[in-house]
Amino acid sequence: MAVYTDVADEELSAFIDQYQIGRLLSFKGIAEGVENSNFLVHTQTGHFILTLYEKRVDPADLPFFLHLLNHLASKDISCPVPVPDKTGTLLGTLAERPAALVTFLDGMWVKRPKPVHCEQLGQTMARMHLAAADFDMRRANALDLAGWRPLFEKCADRADEVHPGLSDLVVRELDHLEAAWPDDLPRGIIHADLFPDNVFFLGEELSGLIDFYFACSDQLAYDIAICLNAWCFETDLSFNITKARALLNGYGKVRSLSRREYDSLPTLARGAALRFLLTRLYDWLSVPEGALVTPKDPMEYVKKLRFHQTVGTASAYGLSP
Ligand SMILES: Nc1ncnc2c1ncn2[C@@H]1O[C@H](COP(=O)(O)OP(=O)(O)O)[C@@H](O)[C@H]1O
Ligand SMILES: N[C@@H](CCOP(=O)(O)O)C(=O)O
């Protein structure tokens, strides 16, 4: 559950009055997500999502995120669209936080994705990669290879409280990845957090993508590696090769992977597992006092990382080159 910042009724009402969306009728904090404070807002003209940007979001990056949403929507990628205020401005301030209103997207996220969902995710992710190819803004990935060691150093001394031997495991993995990480793969804009809770479906039809607040310029295949981690493990953390094959097949129907991208998947998947292990570890050890948030379990990603460490070639993900 994520509401880090309380907003008073009158304050929110006055904020909404700056927009041409009718009077505020009701609002409630949304009990999902871990990064920002989100509110479902009901006005005389419909429903909207109000986001107050918190801890990890650099306000300087907000124009990138908001313009990216507009760009993708203009290319028929279903995603929230920022609502401008009466002066045409996308970004406001509420409760001393940067804040934006975006359109409400129909659909629900799927708790137990099936191969059919993975296939659609793959296709939509590839469409998104292509749609963003002519987006003219850039944002470096603050959580790429170069960011992992400094992030770990902030919580290394307490890592073994979470699991004995975790510190050693992370240090060895960082050493491996710093030597093996590819840097010559096709690049573009990636979502970088395309977890099931950020992908909405209506029945078995993908209805939209949300939560672009980690989107950045990076190697496109890294986005696939993030999804192999987030979508293709069962609740017992066994790897489901059928889901991985469906994901890669779906992606390949829209954008073909180069041989080099395909061969790099095991390394990229290890990196993606480590990236989420590290942010979860950091968050686990530093929940802000009073925040309504349930931190996510870093051990899930330790187990996923251990799986990828056993992978020899990308054929373990279900497709031949
Ligand atoms: N545009 C939207 N349309 C409908 N629901 C949304 C929208 N944006 C966010 N939500 C709801 O808010 C929840 C948290 O949003 P999310 O962007 O994932 O937050 P966080 O950045 O904190 O992880 C989502 O799981 C979803 O239920
Ligand atoms: N997906 C990340 C955490 C980011 O939270 P989200 O709710 O914005 O997806 C994780 O699972 O560690």
Side-chain angles (χ1 to χ4, degrees), residues 4 13 35 50 62 88 95 102 126 131 154 180 202 215 252 280 302 306:
Y4 295 94
S13 216
E35 293 292 336
L50 167 68
L62 287 167
V102 297
K154 288 189 193 161
L202 284 167
R280 285 180 174 205
V302 172
R306 286 199 174 120

Side-chain angles (χ1 to χ4, degrees), residues 64-65 67-79 123-139 187-192 209 212 215-218 220 223 251 254-255:
F64 171 90
F65 300 134
H67 289 298
L68 176 62
L69 291 172
N70 272 332
H71 179 88
L72 292 176
S74 77
K75 302 257 173 157
D76 278 339
I77 302 296
S78 173
C79 61
Q123 286 191 29
T124 304
M125 175 171 38
R127 285 183 48 233
M128 179 192 71
H129 287 166
L130 297 181
D134 61 348
F135 182 57
D136 58 7
M137 297 176 80
R138 299 281 173 273
R139 174 180 178 262
R187 299 180 66 85
I189 302 293
I190 66 166
H191 181 288
L209 310 177
F212 282 74
C216 57
S217 320
D218 206 330
L220 297 176
D223 230 6
Y251 189 91
V254 179
R255 176 181 173 268

Side-chain angles (χ1 to χ4, degrees), residues 13 24 33 62 69 90 100 102 121 123 146 155 175 192 211 213 242 254 258 268 270-271 289:
S13 216
L24 176 70
L62 287 167
L69 291 172
L90 299 182
V102 297
L121 167 73
Q123 286 191 29
C155 51
D175 290 345
D211 202 0
Y213 302 114
T242 310
V254 179
S258 69
L268 296 174
R270 283 174 75 154
E289 214 172 298

Side-chain angles (χ1 to χ4, degrees), residues 1-7 28-39 54-55 97 283 286-296:
M1 158 174 299
V3 176
Y4 295 94
T5 304
D6 276 332
V7 184
K28 60 178 181 195
I30 295 182
E32 270 175 346
V34 296
E35 293 292 336
N36 299 309
S37 298
N38 286 294
F39 299 88
E54 306 279 355
K55 50 176 188 172
R97 304 277 188 284
D283 288 351
S286 47
V287 175
E289 214 172 298
L292 222 47
V293 66
T294 309
K296 298 192 175 182

